[in-house]
Amino acid sequence: MIKITTDSTCDLPRELLERYNITVTPLGIIKAGKLYQDGVDIRTGDIAAHVDAGGEITTTNAVNVADYEELFRRLMEEYDAVIHLNIGMGFSSCHQNARLAAEEVDGVYVVDSANLTVGHGMLVLAAAEAAEAGKSVTEILAMLEEMIPRVETSFVLDRLDYMKKGGRCSTATALGASLLKLHPCLDVVDGKLPVTKKYRGSIEKVVEEYVRDRLRDRTDLDTRRAFLVDTCPDDHLASIAREILRQDGRFQEIIEAKAGCTIFCHCGPGTLGVIFLRKA
C-alpha cells in the first residue's frame, strides 16, 4: 500500500488524479493581499480577470513544513509508505519543506521532480501506475531517478506582461517582444528556465512552428505518450498542437491538461507547452 502525493503544480487532469487516488497539496496564491489555495478557491480565470482590470500580478507561496507534516502523518496511518513528488527545487522551496517534514515521519520519501507543470506530472503519473502495479518503494524510486533526466519540458509564451510584472524580464524586453511579435520558447534545463529560441509572428503560427520543431527528425522520443498543456481559456491553441501531434502518428496517447494557478501566475494566458519523455 504505497500512496503517491504531489503538489498542485503537477497540473495533471482531475480524472487522472482521481483514477490513481493521487493526493495533491495546493500551493498558495496571493491576490490583492489575500491568500488562496491553488485550484481550491482560486482559478486561472480569477487571476486573469484581476490582472486585466489593472491589478498587481499575483504571487505564489510554497506549501509549508507543518502542512506537509500533517498530511504525511495522516496518510501514514493507513498506508505502508508515502512517495511525494515536488515541483523542482529550482522553482520553489516546496521540496525543501517537504523533506524537512518527511524527516519527522517514518515511511515518507520525497522526490525532486526537477521539473514543473506536466513535466512534473508525467513523473507523478508514472509513480502512480507503478504503485498500482505493485512495485516496491525501492523500485519506484529507482524508476523515477532514471526517468527524471529524460523528461523534456518546453513551452512558448504569447505575452510577457506577466513575466515583466513578476520581475522576470525587463520592461524594455517585454515592449520589444510585443512590438516585434516575438514569442520566447523556454526549456527546463538543470532546474532552470532559459530562453532557448525566439519565434516571430502570431501565436497561432508560432505554436504550429514550435510543435513541428519539437518533432522534426526526432528518433529519441519515447512514443508511449506525449503531454500537451496550455493556459488558454479556450481550445484554440491546443487544437493546433493536438492536430500536429496526431498527424505525427507516433504517440500511443496524448494527454492534455490546463495549467493551474501557480504556472499561470508566471506565464499568463496564451502559453502552450509540449512535454515528451526521451528514450533511455
Side-chain angles (χ1 to χ4, degrees), residues 13-277:
R14 182 167 298 279
E15 56 268 26
L16 287 177
L17 296 173
E18 293 175 352
R19 161 71 179 81
Y20 291 99
N21 192 28
I22 299 165
T23 295
V24 174
T25 53
L27 271 74
I29 305 293
I30 300 174
K31 180 173 75 75
K34 183 178 178 181
L35 179 63
Y36 298 85
Q37 290 188 306
D38 184 3
V40 177
D41 54 3
I42 189 170
R43 300 290 189 272
T44 56
D46 301 321
I47 297 172
H50 171 72
V51 174
D52 289 347
E56 287 299 310
I57 196 72
T58 52
T59 56
T60 58
N61 263 21
V63 182
N64 63 46
V65 177
D67 286 347
Y68 277 130
E69 184 175 339
E70 187 278 330
L71 173 69
F72 295 157
R73 287 192 185 281
R74 176 164 51 83
L75 291 174
M76 283 306 299
E77 292 178 0
E78 53 180 313
Y79 291 92
D80 299 320
V82 171
I83 298 176
H84 182 83
L85 289 98
N86 285 116
I87 180 176
M89 64 184 301
F91 306 115
S92 169
S93 58
C94 281
H95 179 67
Q96 180 182 0
N97 292 350
R99 286 191 64 178
L100 289 171
E103 290 175 2
E104 305 299 321
V105 187
D106 290 338
V108 178
Y109 304 84
V110 177
V111 178
D112 173 15
S113 74
N115 224 296
L116 75 175
T117 189
V118 289
H120 167 197
M122 176 185 284
L123 297 163
V124 174
L125 181 57
E129 290 173 332
E132 185 180 74
K135 300 292 185 182
S136 68
V137 168
T138 301
E139 289 171 319
I140 295 172
L141 294 178
M143 176 198 71
L144 291 171
E145 182 179 8
E146 189 275 333
M147 280 183 69
I148 286 169
R150 296 195 286 123
V151 178
E152 179 177 305
T153 300
S154 64
F155 47 93
V156 287
L157 277 66
D158 182 28
R159 41 196 274 195
L160 295 183
D161 56 329
Y162 277 66
M163 294 192 78
K164 177 179 74 67
K165 288 185 177 184
R168 291 174 177 80
C169 76
S170 68
T171 300
T173 298
L175 179 60
S178 177
L179 291 173
L180 296 172
K181 293 187 176 180
L182 293 177
H183 302 272
C185 174
L186 287 78
D187 278 72
V188 174
V189 180
D190 297 329
K192 298 180 181 179
L193 275 176
V195 174
T196 53
K197 186 169 182 174
K198 293 178 182 177
Y199 292 91
R200 188 170 183 175
S202 70
I203 188 60
E204 291 80 10
K205 175 178 175 291
V206 165
V207 164
E208 180 176 356
E209 186 178 354
Y210 153 71
V211 178
R212 293 193 189 282
D213 278 351
R214 288 284 152 174
L215 294 168
R216 187 175 294 113
D217 301 324
R218 297 292 297 271
T219 59
D220 62 336
L221 296 178
D222 183 325
T223 56
R224 179 187 172 196
R225 57 171 56 127
F227 286 74
L228 173 62
V229 64
D230 71 87
T231 64
C232 302
D234 54 35
D235 192 50
H236 81 288
L237 291 184
S239 65
I240 296 170
R242 180 190 312 123
E243 186 57 28
I244 295 169
L245 289 171
R246 285 179 177 170
Q247 287 176 359
D248 183 78
R250 282 181 283 178
F251 298 100
Q252 298 172 37
E253 181 182 26
I254 300 168
I255 295 178
E256 297 186 44
K258 290 290 183 182
C261 295
T262 304
I263 303 302
F264 192 92
C265 282
H266 302 303
C267 298
T271 298
L272 179 137
V274 288
I275 292 85
F276 303 122
L277 185 67

